[in-house]
Coordinates of all heavy atoms in Angstrom, one line a residue:
N1 N 13.8 4.9 -4.1 CA 12.4 4.7 -4.1 C 11.8 4.3 -5.5 O 11.1 5.1 -6.1 CB 11.6 5.9 -3.6 CG 11.8 6.0 -2.1 OD1 11.9 5.0 -1.4 ND2 11.8 7.2 -1.6
T2 N 12.3 3.2 -6.0 CA 11.9 2.7 -7.3 C 10.8 1.7 -7.1 O 10.7 1.1 -6.0 CB 13.0 2.2 -8.1 OG1 13.5 1.0 -7.4 CG2 14.1 3.2 -8.3
P3 N 10.0 1.4 -8.1 CA 8.9 0.4 -8.0 C 9.4 -0.9 -7.4 O 8.7 -1.5 -6.6 CB 8.3 0.3 -9.4 CG 8.5 1.7 -9.9 CD 9.9 2.1 -9.4
T4 N 10.5 -1.4 -7.9 CA 11.0 -2.7 -7.4 C 11.2 -2.7 -5.9 O 10.8 -3.6 -5.2 CB 12.3 -3.0 -8.1 OG1 12.1 -3.1 -9.5 CG2 12.9 -4.4 -7.7
Y5 N 11.9 -1.7 -5.4 CA 12.1 -1.6 -3.9 C 10.9 -1.3 -3.2 O 10.7 -1.9 -2.1 CB 13.2 -0.5 -3.6 CG 14.5 -0.9 -4.1 CD1 15.1 -0.2 -5.2 CD2 15.2 -2.0 -3.6 CE1 16.4 -0.5 -5.7 CE2 16.5 -2.3 -4.1 CZ 17.0 -1.6 -5.1 OH 18.3 -1.9 -5.6
I6 N 10.0 -0.5 -3.7 CA 8.7 -0.3 -3.0 C 7.9 -1.5 -2.9 O 7.3 -1.8 -1.9 CB 8.0 0.9 -3.7 CG1 8.7 2.2 -3.6 CG2 6.6 1.0 -3.2 CD1 8.2 3.3 -4.5
E7 N 7.9 -2.3 -4.0 CA 7.2 -3.6 -4.0 C 7.7 -4.5 -2.9 O 6.9 -5.1 -2.2 CB 7.3 -4.3 -5.4 CG 6.5 -5.6 -5.5 CD 6.6 -6.2 -6.8 OE1 6.8 -5.5 -7.8 OE2 6.4 -7.4 -6.9
Q8 N 9.0 -4.7 -2.8 CA 9.6 -5.6 -1.8 C 9.2 -5.1 -0.4 O 8.9 -5.8 0.5 CB 11.1 -5.6 -2.0 CG 11.6 -6.3 -3.2 CD 13.0 -6.2 -3.5 OE1 13.8 -5.5 -2.7 NE2 13.5 -6.8 -4.5
D9 N 9.3 -3.8 -0.2 CA 9.1 -3.2 1.1 C 7.6 -3.3 1.5 O 7.2 -3.6 2.6 CB 9.5 -1.7 1.2 CG 9.6 -1.2 2.6 OD1 10.2 -1.9 3.4 OD2 9.0 -0.1 2.8
A10 N 6.7 -3.0 0.5 CA 5.3 -3.1 0.8 C 4.9 -4.6 1.1 O 4.1 -4.8 2.0 CB 4.5 -2.7 -0.5
A11 N 5.5 -5.5 0.4 CA 5.2 -6.9 0.7 C 5.6 -7.3 2.2 O 4.9 -7.9 2.9 CB 5.8 -7.9 -0.3
A12 N 6.8 -6.8 2.5 CA 7.3 -7.1 3.9 C 6.5 -6.4 4.9 O 6.2 -7.0 6.0 CB 8.8 -6.6 3.9
R13 N 6.1 -5.2 4.7 CA 5.2 -4.5 5.6 C 3.9 -5.2 5.9 O 3.4 -5.3 7.0 CB 5.0 -3.0 5.2 CG 6.2 -2.2 5.3 CD 5.9 -0.7 4.9 NE 7.1 0.1 4.8 CZ 7.1 1.4 4.7 NH1 5.9 2.0 4.6 NH2 8.2 2.0 4.7
L14 N 3.3 -5.6 4.8 CA 2.0 -6.3 4.9 C 2.1 -7.6 5.7 O 1.2 -8.0 6.4 CB 1.4 -6.6 3.5 CG 0.9 -5.4 2.7 CD1 0.6 -5.8 1.3 CD2 -0.3 -4.8 3.4
E15 N 3.3 -8.2 5.7 CA 3.5 -9.4 6.5 C 3.8 -9.1 7.9 O 3.5 -9.8 8.8 CB 4.7 -10.2 5.9 CG 4.3 -10.9 4.6 CD 5.5 -11.8 4.1 OE1 6.4 -12.1 4.8 OE2 5.4 -12.1 2.9
A16 N 4.6 -8.0 8.2 CA 5.1 -7.8 9.5 C 4.3 -6.8 10.4 O 4.3 -6.9 11.6 CB 6.6 -7.2 9.3
V17 N 3.7 -5.8 9.8 CA 3.0 -4.8 10.5 C 1.5 -5.1 10.6 O 0.9 -5.5 9.6 CB 3.3 -3.4 9.9 CG1 2.6 -2.3 10.6 CG2 4.8 -3.1 9.7
P18 N 0.9 -4.9 11.8 CA -0.5 -5.1 11.9 C -1.3 -4.3 10.8 O -0.9 -3.1 10.6 CB -0.9 -4.7 13.3 CG 0.4 -4.8 14.0 CD 1.5 -4.5 13.1
R19 N -2.3 -4.9 10.3 CA -3.0 -4.2 9.2 C -3.6 -2.9 9.6 O -3.8 -2.0 8.7 CB -4.0 -5.2 8.5 CG -5.1 -5.6 9.4 CD -6.0 -6.7 8.9 NE -6.8 -6.2 7.8 CZ -7.4 -7.0 6.9 NH1 -7.3 -8.2 6.9 NH2 -8.1 -6.4 6.0
N20 N -3.9 -2.7 10.8 CA -4.6 -1.5 11.2 C -3.6 -0.4 11.5 O -3.9 0.7 11.9 CB -5.5 -1.7 12.4 CG -4.8 -2.1 13.6 OD1 -3.8 -2.7 13.6 ND2 -5.4 -1.8 14.8
K21 N -2.3 -0.7 11.4 CA -1.2 0.3 11.7 C -0.5 0.8 10.4 O 0.5 1.5 10.5 CB -0.2 -0.3 12.6 CG -0.7 -0.8 13.9 CD -1.2 0.3 14.8 CE -1.7 -0.2 16.1 NZ -2.3 0.8 16.9
Q22 N -1.0 0.4 9.3 CA -0.4 0.8 8.0 C -1.1 1.9 7.3 O -2.4 1.9 7.3 CB -0.3 -0.4 7.1 CG 0.5 -1.5 7.7 CD 0.7 -2.6 6.7 OE1 1.1 -2.4 5.5 NE2 0.4 -3.9 7.1
I23 N -0.4 2.8 6.7 CA -1.0 3.8 5.9 C -0.4 3.7 4.4 O 0.8 3.5 4.2 CB -0.6 5.2 6.4 CG1 -1.2 5.4 7.8 CG2 -1.0 6.3 5.4 CD1 -0.8 6.7 8.4
G24 N -1.3 3.7 3.5 CA -1.0 3.4 2.1 C -0.3 4.5 1.4 O -0.9 5.1 0.5
Y25 N 0.9 4.7 1.7 CA 1.7 5.7 1.0 C 3.2 5.4 1.2 O 3.6 5.0 2.2 CB 1.4 7.1 1.4 CG 1.9 8.2 0.5 CD1 1.2 8.3 -0.8 CD2 2.9 9.0 0.7 CE1 1.6 9.2 -1.7 CE2 3.4 9.9 -0.2 CZ 2.7 10.0 -1.4 OH 3.1 10.9 -2.3
Y26 N 4.0 5.6 0.1 CA 5.4 5.3 0.2 C 6.0 6.3 -0.7 O 5.8 6.3 -1.9 CB 5.7 3.9 -0.3 CG 7.1 3.4 0.0 CD1 7.3 2.5 1.0 CD2 8.1 3.9 -0.8 CE1 8.6 2.1 1.3 CE2 9.4 3.5 -0.5 CZ 9.6 2.6 0.5 OH 10.9 2.1 0.8
S27 N 6.8 7.2 -0.1 CA 7.3 8.3 -1.0 C 8.5 9.0 -0.4 O 8.7 9.1 0.8 CB 6.3 9.3 -1.3 OG 6.8 10.3 -2.1
D28 N 9.3 9.5 -1.3 CA 10.4 10.4 -1.0 C 10.0 11.8 -1.5 O 10.8 12.6 -1.8 CB 11.7 10.0 -1.6 CG 11.6 9.9 -3.2 OD1 10.5 9.8 -3.7 OD2 12.7 9.8 -3.8
M29 N 8.7 12.0 -1.6 CA 8.2 13.2 -2.2 C 8.7 14.5 -1.5 O 8.7 14.6 -0.3 CB 6.7 13.2 -2.1 CG 6.0 14.4 -2.7 SD 4.2 14.4 -2.4 CE 4.2 15.0 -0.8
Y30 N 9.3 15.4 -2.3 CA 9.8 16.6 -1.8 C 9.2 17.8 -2.5 O 9.5 18.9 -2.2 CB 11.3 16.7 -1.8 CG 12.0 16.4 -3.1 CD1 12.2 17.5 -4.0 CD2 12.2 15.1 -3.5 CE1 12.8 17.2 -5.3 CE2 12.8 14.9 -4.8 CZ 13.1 15.9 -5.6 OH 13.6 15.7 -6.8
K31 N 8.3 17.6 -3.4 CA 7.5 18.7 -4.1 C 6.1 18.2 -4.1 O 5.8 17.1 -4.4 CB 8.1 18.9 -5.5 CG 9.5 19.5 -5.5 CD 9.9 20.0 -6.8 CE 11.3 20.6 -6.7 NZ 11.6 21.4 -7.7
M32 N 5.2 19.1 -3.9 CA 3.8 18.9 -3.9 C 3.2 18.2 -5.1 O 2.4 17.3 -5.1 CB 3.0 20.1 -3.5 CG 1.6 19.8 -3.2 SD 1.6 18.7 -1.8 CE 0.2 19.3 -0.9
E33 N 3.8 18.6 -6.3 CA 3.2 18.1 -7.5 C 3.6 16.6 -7.7 O 3.1 15.9 -8.6 CB 3.7 18.9 -8.7 CG 5.2 19.0 -8.9 CD 5.8 20.2 -8.3 OE1 5.2 20.8 -7.4 OE2 6.9 20.5 -8.6
F34 N 4.4 16.0 -6.9 CA 4.8 14.6 -6.9 C 3.8 13.7 -6.2 O 3.8 12.5 -6.3 CB 6.2 14.3 -6.4 CG 7.3 15.0 -7.2 CD1 8.6 15.1 -6.7 CD2 7.1 15.4 -8.5 CE1 9.6 15.6 -7.4 CE2 8.1 16.0 -9.2 CZ 9.4 16.1 -8.7
A35 N 2.9 14.3 -5.4 CA 2.0 13.6 -4.5 C 1.1 12.6 -5.3 O 1.1 11.4 -5.0 CB 1.2 14.5 -3.7
L36 N 0.4 13.1 -6.2 CA -0.5 12.2 -6.9 C 0.2 11.1 -7.7 O -0.2 10.0 -7.7 CB -1.5 13.0 -7.8 CG -2.6 12.2 -8.4 CD1 -3.5 11.5 -7.4 CD2 -3.5 13.2 -9.3
P37 N 1.2 11.4 -8.5 CA 1.9 10.4 -9.2 C 2.5 9.3 -8.3 O 2.4 8.1 -8.6 CB 3.0 11.1 -10.0 CG 2.5 12.5 -10.2 CD 1.7 12.8 -8.9
K38 N 3.0 9.7 -7.2 CA 3.6 8.8 -6.2 C 2.5 7.9 -5.6 O 2.7 6.7 -5.4 CB 4.4 9.5 -5.1 CG 5.6 10.2 -5.6 CD 6.7 9.2 -5.7 CE 8.1 9.8 -5.9 NZ 9.2 8.9 -5.8
F39 N 1.4 8.5 -5.3 CA 0.3 7.8 -4.7 C -0.3 6.8 -5.7 O -0.5 5.6 -5.4 CB -0.9 8.7 -4.2 CG -2.0 8.0 -3.6 CD1 -1.8 7.3 -2.4 CD2 -3.2 8.0 -4.2 CE1 -2.9 6.7 -1.8 CE2 -4.3 7.3 -3.5 CZ -4.1 6.6 -2.4
N40 N -0.4 7.2 -7.0 CA -0.9 6.3 -8.0 C 0.1 5.1 -8.2 O -0.4 4.0 -8.4 CB -1.1 7.0 -9.3 CG -2.3 7.9 -9.2 OD1 -3.2 7.7 -8.5 ND2 -2.4 9.0 -10.0
M41 N 1.4 5.4 -8.2 CA 2.4 4.3 -8.3 C 2.2 3.3 -7.1 O 2.2 2.1 -7.3 CB 3.8 4.9 -8.3 CG 4.9 3.8 -8.4 SD 6.5 4.5 -8.5 CE 6.7 5.2 -7.0
Y42 N 2.1 3.8 -5.9 CA 1.9 3.0 -4.8 C 0.7 2.1 -4.9 O 0.7 0.9 -4.6 CB 1.9 3.8 -3.4 CG 1.7 2.9 -2.2 CD1 2.8 2.2 -1.7 CD2 0.5 2.7 -1.7 CE1 2.7 1.3 -0.7 CE2 0.3 1.8 -0.6 CZ 1.4 1.1 -0.1 OH 1.3 0.3 0.9
K43 N -0.4 2.7 -5.3 CA -1.7 1.9 -5.5 C -1.5 0.7 -6.5 O -1.9 -0.4 -6.2 CB -2.8 2.8 -6.0 CG -3.4 3.7 -4.9 CD -4.7 4.4 -5.3 CE -4.7 5.0 -6.7 NZ -5.9 5.7 -7.0
R44 N -0.8 1.0 -7.6 CA -0.5 -0.1 -8.5 C 0.3 -1.2 -7.9 O 0.1 -2.3 -8.1 CB 0.2 0.5 -9.8 CG -0.8 1.2 -10.7 CD -0.1 1.6 -12.1 NE 1.1 2.3 -11.9 CZ 1.2 3.6 -11.9 NH1 0.1 4.4 -11.8 NH2 2.4 4.2 -11.8
I45 N 1.4 -0.8 -7.2 CA 2.2 -1.7 -6.5 C 1.5 -2.5 -5.5 O 1.6 -3.7 -5.4 CB 3.5 -1.0 -6.0 CG1 4.4 -0.5 -7.1 CG2 4.3 -1.9 -5.0 CD1 5.4 0.5 -6.6
L46 N 0.7 -1.8 -4.7 CA -0.1 -2.5 -3.6 C -1.0 -3.6 -4.3 O -1.2 -4.7 -3.8 CB -0.9 -1.5 -2.8 CG -1.8 -2.1 -1.7 CD1 -0.9 -2.8 -0.7 CD2 -2.6 -1.0 -1.1
A47 N -1.7 -3.2 -5.4 CA -2.6 -4.1 -6.1 C -1.8 -5.4 -6.5 O -2.3 -6.5 -6.4 CB -3.3 -3.4 -7.2
K48 N -0.6 -5.2 -7.1 CA 0.2 -6.2 -7.5 C 0.6 -7.2 -6.4 O 0.5 -8.4 -6.5 CB 1.5 -5.7 -8.3 CG 2.3 -6.8 -8.8 CD 3.5 -6.2 -9.6 CE 4.3 -7.3 -10.3 NZ 5.7 -7.3 -10.0
V49 N 1.1 -6.6 -5.3 CA 1.5 -7.3 -4.1 C 0.3 -8.1 -3.6 O 0.4 -9.3 -3.2 CB 2.1 -6.4 -3.0 CG1 2.2 -7.2 -1.7 CG2 3.4 -5.9 -3.5
L50 N -0.9 -7.5 -3.4 CA -2.0 -8.2 -2.9 C -2.4 -9.4 -3.8 O -2.8 -10.4 -3.4 CB -3.2 -7.2 -2.7 CG -3.0 -6.2 -1.6 CD1 -4.1 -5.2 -1.6 CD2 -3.0 -6.9 -0.2
A51 N -2.4 -9.1 -5.1 CA -2.8 -10.2 -6.1 C -1.8 -11.3 -6.0 O -2.2 -12.5 -5.9 CB -2.9 -9.6 -7.5
E52 N -0.5 -11.0 -6.1 CA 0.5 -12.1 -6.2 C 0.7 -12.8 -4.8 O 0.8 -14.0 -4.7 CB 1.8 -11.5 -6.7 CG 1.7 -11.1 -8.2 CD 3.0 -10.5 -8.7 OE1 3.9 -10.3 -7.9 OE2 3.0 -10.1 -9.9
K53 N 0.9 -12.0 -3.8 CA 1.3 -12.6 -2.5 C 0.2 -13.1 -1.6 O 0.4 -13.9 -0.8 CB 2.1 -11.6 -1.7 CG 3.3 -11.0 -2.4 CD 4.5 -12.0 -2.5 CE 5.7 -11.3 -3.1 NZ 6.7 -12.3 -3.5
F54 N -1.0 -12.5 -1.9 CA -2.1 -12.9 -1.0 C -3.2 -13.8 -1.7 O -3.5 -14.8 -1.3 CB -2.8 -11.6 -0.4 CG -1.9 -11.0 0.7 CD1 -0.8 -10.2 0.3 CD2 -2.1 -11.3 2.0 CE1 0.0 -9.7 1.3 CE2 -1.3 -10.7 3.0 CZ -0.2 -9.9 2.6
V55 N -3.6 -13.3 -2.9 CA -4.6 -14.1 -3.7 C -4.0 -15.4 -4.2 O -4.5 -16.4 -4.0 CB -5.3 -13.2 -4.8 CG1 -6.2 -14.1 -5.6 CG2 -6.0 -12.0 -4.1
V56 N -2.9 -15.2 -4.9 CA -2.3 -16.4 -5.6 C -1.5 -17.2 -4.5 O -1.8 -18.4 -4.4 CB -1.3 -16.0 -6.7 CG1 -0.6 -17.2 -7.3 CG2 -2.1 -15.3 -7.8
D57 N -0.6 -16.7 -3.8 CA 0.3 -17.5 -2.9 C -0.4 -17.9 -1.7 O -0.1 -19.0 -1.2 CB 1.5 -16.6 -2.5 CG 2.5 -16.3 -3.6 OD1 2.3 -16.9 -4.7 OD2 3.4 -15.6 -3.4
R58 N -1.4 -17.2 -1.1 CA -2.0 -17.6 0.1 C -3.5 -18.0 0.0 O -4.2 -18.2 0.9 CB -1.9 -16.4 1.1 CG -0.5 -16.1 1.5 CD -0.5 -15.0 2.4 NE 0.9 -14.6 2.7 CZ 1.3 -13.7 3.5 NH1 0.4 -13.0 4.3 NH2 2.6 -13.4 3.7
A59 N -3.9 -18.0 -1.3 CA -5.3 -18.4 -1.6 C -6.4 -17.5 -0.9 O -7.4 -18.0 -0.5 CB -5.5 -19.9 -1.3
W60 N -6.1 -16.2 -0.7 CA -7.1 -15.3 -0.2 C -8.1 -15.1 -1.3 O -7.8 -15.2 -2.5 CB -6.5 -14.0 0.1 CG -5.8 -13.8 1.4 CD1 -5.1 -14.8 2.1 CD2 -5.7 -12.6 2.1 NE1 -4.6 -14.3 3.2 CE2 -4.9 -12.9 3.3 CE3 -6.1 -11.3 2.0 CZ2 -4.6 -12.0 4.3 CZ3 -5.8 -10.4 2.9 CH2 -5.1 -10.7 4.1
S61 N -9.3 -14.8 -1.0 CA -10.3 -14.3 -2.0 C -10.0 -12.9 -2.5 O -9.3 -12.2 -1.8 CB -11.7 -14.3 -1.4 OG -11.8 -13.3 -0.4
E62 N -10.4 -12.6 -3.7 CA -10.2 -11.3 -4.2 C -10.8 -10.2 -3.3 O -10.3 -9.2 -3.1 CB -10.7 -11.2 -5.6 CG -9.9 -12.0 -6.6 CD -10.4 -11.9 -8.0 OE1 -11.2 -10.9 -8.3 OE2 -10.0 -12.7 -8.8
E63 N -12.0 -10.6 -2.7 CA -12.7 -9.6 -1.9 C -11.9 -9.3 -0.6 O -11.8 -8.2 -0.2 CB -14.1 -10.2 -1.5 CG -15.0 -10.3 -2.6 CD -14.8 -11.5 -3.6 OE1 -14.1 -12.4 -3.2 OE2 -15.3 -11.4 -4.7
A64 N -11.2 -10.3 0.0 CA -10.4 -10.1 1.2 C -9.2 -9.2 0.8 O -8.8 -8.4 1.6 CB -10.0 -11.5 1.7
A65 N -8.6 -9.5 -0.3 CA -7.5 -8.7 -0.7 C -7.9 -7.2 -1.0 O -7.2 -6.3 -0.6 CB -6.8 -9.2 -2.0
I66 N -9.0 -7.0 -1.6 CA -9.5 -5.6 -1.9 C -9.8 -5.0 -0.5 O -9.5 -3.8 -0.3 CB -10.8 -5.7 -2.8 CG1 -10.4 -6.1 -4.2 CG2 -11.5 -4.3 -2.8 CD1 -11.5 -6.4 -5.1
E67 N -10.4 -5.7 0.4 CA -10.7 -5.2 1.7 C -9.5 -4.7 2.4 O -9.4 -3.6 3.0 CB -11.4 -6.2 2.6 CG -11.8 -5.7 4.0 CD -12.5 -6.8 4.8 OE1 -13.3 -7.5 4.2 OE2 -12.1 -7.0 6.0
L68 N -8.4 -5.5 2.4 CA -7.1 -5.1 3.0 C -6.6 -3.8 2.3 O -6.1 -2.9 2.9 CB -6.1 -6.2 2.9 CG -4.7 -5.9 3.4 CD1 -4.7 -5.3 4.9 CD2 -3.8 -7.1 3.4
G69 N -6.7 -3.8 0.9 CA -6.2 -2.7 0.2 C -6.9 -1.4 0.6 O -6.3 -0.3 0.8
L70 N -8.2 -1.5 0.7 CA -9.0 -0.3 1.1 C -8.7 0.2 2.5 O -8.6 1.4 2.8 CB -10.5 -0.6 0.9 CG -11.0 -0.7 -0.5 CD1 -12.5 -1.1 -0.5 CD2 -10.9 0.7 -1.2
Q71 N -8.4 -0.8 3.4 CA -8.1 -0.5 4.8 C -6.7 0.3 4.8 O -6.6 1.3 5.5 CB -8.0 -1.7 5.6 CG -7.7 -1.4 7.1 CD -7.6 -2.6 7.9 OE1 -7.8 -3.8 7.5 NE2 -7.4 -2.4 9.2
V72 N -5.8 -0.2 4.1 CA -4.5 0.4 4.0 C -4.5 1.8 3.3 O -3.9 2.7 3.8 CB -3.4 -0.5 3.3 CG1 -2.1 0.2 3.1 CG2 -3.2 -1.8 4.2
L73 N -5.2 1.9 2.2 CA -5.2 3.1 1.4 C -6.1 4.2 2.0 O -5.8 5.4 1.9 CB -5.7 2.8 0.0 CG -4.7 2.0 -0.9 CD1 -5.4 1.7 -2.2 CD2 -3.5 2.8 -1.1
R74 N -7.2 3.8 2.7 CA -8.2 4.8 3.1 C -8.6 4.7 4.6 O -8.4 5.7 5.3 CB -9.4 4.7 2.2 CG -10.5 5.7 2.6 CD -11.8 5.4 1.9 NE -12.3 4.1 2.4 CZ -13.1 3.3 1.7 NH1 -13.4 3.5 0.5 NH2 -13.5 2.2 2.3
D75 N -9.0 3.6 5.0 CA -9.7 3.5 6.3 C -8.7 3.8 7.4 O -9.1 4.4 8.4 CB -10.3 2.1 6.5 CG -11.3 1.8 5.5 OD1 -11.9 2.7 4.9 OD2 -11.7 0.6 5.3
N76 N -7.4 3.3 7.4 CA -6.5 3.5 8.5 C -6.2 5.0 8.6 O -6.1 5.5 9.8 CB -5.2 2.7 8.3 CG -5.5 1.2 8.5 OD1 -6.5 0.8 9.1 ND2 -4.5 0.4 8.0
S77 N -6.0 5.7 7.5 CA -5.8 7.1 7.6 C -6.9 7.9 8.3 O -6.7 8.7 9.2 CB -5.5 7.7 6.2 OG -4.4 7.2 5.6
E78 N -8.1 7.5 7.9 CA -9.3 8.1 8.5 C -9.3 7.9 10.0 O -9.6 8.8 10.8 CB -10.6 7.7 7.9 CG -10.7 8.2 6.5 CD -11.9 7.6 5.7 OE1 -12.6 6.7 6.3 OE2 -12.2 8.1 4.6
T79 N -9.0 6.6 10.4 CA -9.0 6.3 11.9 C -7.9 6.9 12.6 O -8.1 7.5 13.7 CB -9.0 4.7 12.0 OG1 -10.1 4.2 11.3 CG2 -9.0 4.3 13.5
L80 N -6.7 6.8 12.1 CA -5.5 7.3 12.8 C -5.5 8.8 13.0 O -5.0 9.3 13.9 CB -4.2 6.8 12.1 CG -4.0 5.3 12.2 CD1 -2.8 4.9 11.3 CD2 -3.7 4.9 13.6
F81 N -6.0 9.5 11.9 CA -5.9 10.9 11.9 C -7.3 11.6 12.2 O -7.5 12.8 12.0 CB -5.4 11.4 10.6 CG -4.0 11.0 10.3 CD1 -3.7 10.1 9.3 CD2 -2.9 11.4 11.2 CE1 -2.4 9.6 9.1 CE2 -1.6 10.9 11.0 CZ -1.4 10.1 9.9
N82 N -8.3 10.8 12.7 CA -9.6 11.3 13.0 C -10.2 12.1 11.9 O -10.7 13.2 12.2 CB -9.6 12.0 14.3 CG -9.2 11.1 15.5 OD1 -9.6 10.0 15.6 ND2 -8.3 11.7 16.3
C83 N -10.2 11.7 10.7 CA -10.7 12.4 9.6 C -12.2 12.2 9.4 O -12.7 11.2 9.5 CB -10.0 12.0 8.3 SG -8.3 12.3 8.2

């Protein structure tokens, strides 16, 4: 679970999995104190993937990419887990 592999996997998931079925987290976390650093790493990687693969490569607007990022990071969890 290094940033390089997480980036490749995150890009593939964004292409293959419906956007409303994704939860913005990727971790092999086995101790609670790793949660925040792992989440912060995933957020940075997700931002990079959205910028490079969606805004640059697919000519999405920045607003559309941010909307997808928020859906994956926050909205889907709230919907799926009834928060």
Side-chain angles (χ1 to χ4, degrees):
N1 288 327
T2 63
T4 301
Y5 292 113
I6 294 170
E7 182 179 336
Q8 292 171 357
D9 193 51
R13 287 180 187 192
L14 287 170
E15 289 182 16
V17 178
R19 63 188 289 163
N20 66 333
K21 302 293 183 188
Q22 298 186 51
I23 296 177
Y25 197 70
Y26 192 105
S27 177
D28 59 344
M29 183 184 76
Y30 54 91
K31 294 192 178 197
M32 193 58 143
E33 60 267 18
F34 294 165
L36 187 57
K38 291 281 190 170
F39 183 67
N40 289 335
M41 179 178 64
Y42 180 80
K43 285 192 310 183
R44 285 190 304 274
I45 292 167
L46 178 62
K48 182 176 188 231
V49 168
L50 289 170
E52 292 175 358
K53 305 286 186 194
F54 288 80
V55 175
V56 174
D57 292 353
R58 298 180 185 184
W60 279 32
S61 69
E62 290 179 17
E63 292 79 16
I66 290 169
E67 181 182 314
L68 176 55
L70 289 172
Q71 182 178 2
V72 168
L73 289 172
R74 182 192 64 212
D75 300 342
N76 288 344
S77 295
E78 291 176 354
T79 301
L80 292 170
F81 299 113
N82 297 316
C83 298

